[in-house]
Amino acid sequence: PSSVSSTSTETETETEDAVEEARSLISASTIYANPICAQLDRQILRSQSIEDVLTLLVTHRGVFFVHNLVTALQTVALLSEQRSPAGGGASRPVDVLEALRDDRFEVLLQDLRTYADQLGI
């Protein structure tokens, strides 16, 4: 049992490290032309849950840049892989599916589609 617990803890630490590394790469590789865009990205990257990201999307929707939408999508992906701190296990698939079915997530995807169409992508 102790080896299972040890392995589980190591896996959780590795996952958390991977999430932090990905967040660092997302923020470090970006040059911002607008301070509002940078501020929104910092808020998105500090999100601890998919719910946090989706809430930011609604509360700040009028000032999101396309870059922020991409960061939000990347963060949702990272958080869906992150282990739950309370339960110690991986994010429950049901929780992730609920978030993906959330109307706010659909708004995120629709906004990205709109920008893609405008850019001819």
Side-chain angles (χ1 to χ4, degrees), residues 14-24 78-79 81-82:
E14 289 171 5
T15 302
E16 290 169 8
D17 290 347
V19 168
E20 284 307 313
E21 182 178 342
R23 284 181 171 156
S24 295
L78 287 171
L79 291 170
E81 295 295 324
Q82 189 173 26

Side-chain angles (χ1 to χ4, degrees), residues 7 9 12 18 22 47 53-54 64 68 71 85-86 88 91 94-95 99 103 109:
T7 303
T9 303
E12 289 173 27
S47 297
V53 176
L54 296 178
F64 262 64
N68 300 129
T71 300
S91 296
V94 173
D95 294 340
D103 289 339
L109 295 178

Side-chain angles (χ1 to χ4, degrees), residues 84-104:
S84 169
S91 296
R92 294 182 339 171
V94 173
D95 294 340
V96 174
L97 288 175
E98 285 176 9
L100 296 179
R101 291 183 182 135
D102 190 301
D103 289 339
R104 298 169 296 173

Side-chain angles (χ1 to χ4, degrees), residues 8-114:
S8 175
T9 303
E10 289 173 11
T11 304
E12 289 173 27
T13 302
E14 289 171 5
T15 302
E16 290 169 8
D17 290 347
V19 168
E20 284 307 313
E21 182 178 342
R23 284 181 171 156
S24 295
L25 288 173
I26 291 169
S27 62
S29 63
T30 305
I31 298 173
Y32 296 95
N34 186 304
I36 294 170
C37 182
Q39 182 180 10
L40 282 171
D41 258 12
R42 283 192 298 275
Q43 286 185 280
I44 294 165
L45 291 168
R46 281 194 301 258
S47 297
Q48 296 298 308
S49 69
I50 294 172
E51 177 65 27
D52 292 346
V53 176
L54 296 178
T55 298
L56 277 172
L57 178 66
V58 172
T59 59
H60 293 74
R61 185 164 185 231
V63 293
F64 262 64
F65 293 82
V66 67
H67 180 87
N68 300 129
L69 296 171
V70 172
T71 300
L73 188 59
Q74 289 174 319
T75 303
V76 166
L78 287 171
L79 291 170
S80 71
E81 295 295 324
Q82 189 173 26
R83 299 201 175 265
S84 169
S91 296
R92 294 182 339 171
V94 173
D95 294 340
V96 174
L97 288 175
E98 285 176 9
L100 296 179
R101 291 183 182 135
D102 190 301
D103 289 339
R104 298 169 296 173
F105 186 74
E106 185 56 40
V107 167
L108 171 61
L109 295 178
Q110 184 58 44
D111 286 351
L112 283 166
R113 284 187 209 106
T114 300

